[in-house]
Amino acid sequence: ALALSGCGSTDETAYRIGIVQQDEHSSLDAATQGFEDKLMELLGEENVTFDYQNAQGEQANCTTISTKFVSDGCDLIMANATTALQTAAAATSDIPIVGTSVTDYVTAGVVESNEAPGKNVTGVSDLASVEKQIDVLMQFCDKENTKVAVVYCSAEPNSQYQVDTVKAALEDLGYTCEYYAFSDSNDISSVVTNAVADSDVIYVPTDNTAASNTELINNICLPAKVPVIAGEEGICSGCGVATLSISYYDLGKATGEMAVKILKDGEDISTMPIEYAPNFTKEYNADICAELGIEVPDDYVAIGADAE
């Protein structure tokens, strides 16, 4: 039960917040919920109105939504995921924009640096330590001569950033690692099928297109007995074996705290550094691990129907 209205509300006592969410899946939904809950907690439910819009994975929709928020005179825009953030930043250089569920703000092209944004954009990154992600992968594919496929959407710059970093680190450790990129959801099936045929394990970063198609990925990888290491919990829940996960709800709450500093405390957004998720949890998909006969280390937390 949220106070939902257009940003053009005539209620002068309320902060008017436009929320553009790139797509509909569990991680992004949780981040939006955490953001809304934190703002209502800190500002008072009666003092904030939200205009929530979901772009359903379409860049054109993100652009339309962001443009509408500008014309409606929102006090602040929350952009959930990279494309949503890029279109919001393109739509206005005046209205403050806070991002969430974005891996690297410099790669997205919306700030001058993560330490000093220099523009009307800041936010919270969902990037986990690459070294720790690789530690997870190595625990689930410790045999010699392992071939790793990194599967991602080439249209998402933050996915490219992640896989470039992971591939370089894996190759330094002696792994064979190859890219398998799809341009959109239409070619996921063929790309994943090729990856499964050529590899021993698949790594999927925090990729929104992949997160929206985990059932399809699982239907290819599981019968082939090829494990998937995921960049976040939502993907792991749908098709993964293990992940180093953050709480996207807590990520959204942290984004909300930044928004309050801008709206209520008058902080200069251009000097507010990008923040990062403080805690990570090692998780495994109990269902998929059981089906693949994978023995899981003791320091992992179970997710999935068999978690209990």
Side-chain angles (χ1 to χ4, degrees):
L2 299 174
L4 298 176
S5 70
C7 285
S9 168
T10 58
D11 182 359
E12 295 301 328
T13 67
Y15 294 101
R16 300 165 299 173
I17 312 298
I19 298 174
V20 52
Q21 181 171 313
Q22 183 172 317
D23 211 338
E24 186 172 357
H25 62 73
S26 58
S27 297
L28 299 189
D29 294 344
T32 291
Q33 189 65 58
F35 175 80
E36 292 174 335
D37 288 350
K38 180 55 69 173
L39 259 71
M40 289 190 291
E41 173 194 335
L42 296 179
L43 298 176
E45 186 172 353
E46 70 281 4
N47 292 321
V48 60
T49 60
F50 300 107
D51 186 356
Y52 167 83
Q53 300 290 331
N54 193 305
Q56 302 299 326
E58 297 293 333
Q59 180 175 347
N61 292 342
C62 287
T63 299
T64 300
I65 293 164
S66 297
T67 302
K68 179 181 183 299
F69 288 161
V70 174
S71 63
D72 285 348
C74 288
D75 295 310
L76 180 140
I77 297 172
M78 193 279 265
N80 193 345
T82 304
T83 301
L85 180 64
Q86 290 171 320
T87 57
T92 178
S93 59
D94 299 317
I95 296 172
I97 301 166
V98 290
T100 198
S101 313
V102 175
T103 302
D104 185 72
Y105 286 70
V106 173
T107 301
V110 295
V111 299
E112 294 175 4
S113 75
N114 290 323
E115 295 75 23
K119 300 181 180 181
N120 63 317
V121 177
T122 191
V124 184
S125 169
D126 61 0
L127 181 65
S129 162
V130 171
E131 292 79 9
K132 291 181 180 179
Q133 292 184 62
I134 291 173
D135 286 344
V136 171
L137 188 148
M138 291 174 67
Q139 286 185 297
F140 288 85
C141 59
D142 57 357
K143 61 185 179 181
E144 295 181 3
N145 302 316
T146 296
K147 296 180 180 179
V148 182
V150 286
V151 175
Y152 67 103
C153 180
S154 58
E156 296 191 31
N158 282 295
S159 295
Q160 187 71 58
Y161 172 84
Q162 291 176 81
V163 299
D164 285 346
T165 306
V166 168
K167 184 175 186 290
L170 284 171
E171 289 177 343
D172 284 344
L173 293 169
Y175 284 85
T176 299
C177 188
E178 298 294 339
Y179 291 128
Y180 290 84
F182 50 87
S183 57
D184 55 37
S185 58
N186 294 319
D187 58 347
I188 289 180
S189 180
S190 60
V191 169
V192 174
T193 298
N194 289 336
V196 164
D198 297 339
S199 309
D200 302 303
V201 62
I202 289 173
Y203 175 77
V204 180
T206 55
D207 183 289
N208 291 294
T209 308
S212 299
N213 291 275
T214 55
E215 182 178 0
L216 173 59
I217 295 171
N218 191 54
N219 287 342
I220 298 170
C221 295
L222 189 59
K225 307 295 184 183
V226 175
V228 175
I229 306 300
E232 54 93 7
E233 184 181 277
I235 297 174
C236 189
S237 296
C239 65
V241 164
T243 185
L244 182 67
S245 183
I246 65 171
S247 164
Y248 275 81
Y249 179 79
D250 289 344
L251 196 77
K253 287 171 62 178
T255 309
E257 290 174 351
M258 296 187 81
V260 170
K261 290 177 183 178
I262 296 163
L263 292 169
K264 187 177 180 181
D265 301 336
E267 288 202 20
D268 181 357
I269 189 172
S270 69
T271 65
M272 295 175 68
I274 303 304
E275 297 184 5
Y276 295 84
N279 300 308
F280 300 90
T281 303
K282 292 180 179 179
E283 298 177 338
Y284 72 97
N285 186 316
D287 305 325
I288 294 178
C289 284
E291 186 157 346
L292 294 179
I294 292 175
E295 185 175 344
V296 181
D298 293 338
D299 58 341
Y300 281 73
V301 177
I303 57 176
D306 291 342
E308 299 301 325

